[in-house]
Amino acid sequence: MVELKIIEKTEREYVLELVESKQQHRFQIKFFDLVKEVVVGDVILMNENLLNKGYKEYSRKLMFGALDKPYGRKIESRDHPDLLCVKKNGEEYWLKRFWG
């Protein structure tokens, strides 16, 4: 997983910056099942495949929600490409990619 910091947020888009290289990526991300809002300064851990435009399931429009919901694939390891973690205020919120 790679670490990305949210450096900008609009109503529809997040600008994420890779912590190591400062490379920026823009995504339209919708978060479900989070009690706290994802804001500028929060950190996201994401599988690096989701940043690769050559990856067969690459998309700039992503949805993530609770691991126990039926709307995504079953996550069995931290290496799964559909797994994401939001880090805020010392807490971690693990989510999976929703499909459909």
Side-chain angles (χ1 to χ4, degrees):
M1 297 189 102
V2 293
E3 192 170 344
L4 300 120
K5 185 173 184 177
I6 298 171
I7 60 168
E8 186 179 327
K9 177 185 172 189
T10 65
E11 186 176 322
R12 296 185 50 186
E13 188 173 67
Y14 288 85
V15 179
L16 309 176
E17 183 177 81
L18 279 164
V19 171
E20 274 189 23
S21 68
K22 305 295 184 203
Q23 182 182 17
Q24 293 183 5
H25 298 270
R26 294 179 177 274
F27 289 98
Q28 292 179 19
I29 305 175
K30 190 154 188 156
F31 293 99
F32 297 93
D33 309 310
L34 279 177
V35 176
K36 298 180 181 181
E37 181 181 358
V38 179
V39 297
V40 171
D42 290 345
V43 172
I44 292 178
L45 300 177
M46 163 186 299
N47 188 289
E48 62 190 83
N49 284 334
L50 296 180
L51 304 177
N52 180 356
K53 292 180 183 176
Y55 177 57
K56 64 182 176 185
E57 294 177 346
Y58 173 83
S59 176
R60 287 193 57 241
K61 295 180 181 181
L62 300 167
M63 297 182 293
F64 293 92
L67 295 172
D68 62 350
K69 298 290 183 175
Y71 309 112
R73 297 179 178 137
K74 184 176 181 182
I75 305 294
E76 296 181 347
S77 79
R78 287 205 174 181
D79 295 328
H80 198 289
D82 289 348
L83 186 64
L84 175 132
C85 178
V86 176
K87 295 169 99 178
K88 58 186 298 108
N89 303 323
E91 296 184 39
E92 294 183 350
Y93 303 91
W94 291 90
L95 305 168
K96 70 177 177 179
R97 187 174 181 182
F98 282 178
W99 294 91

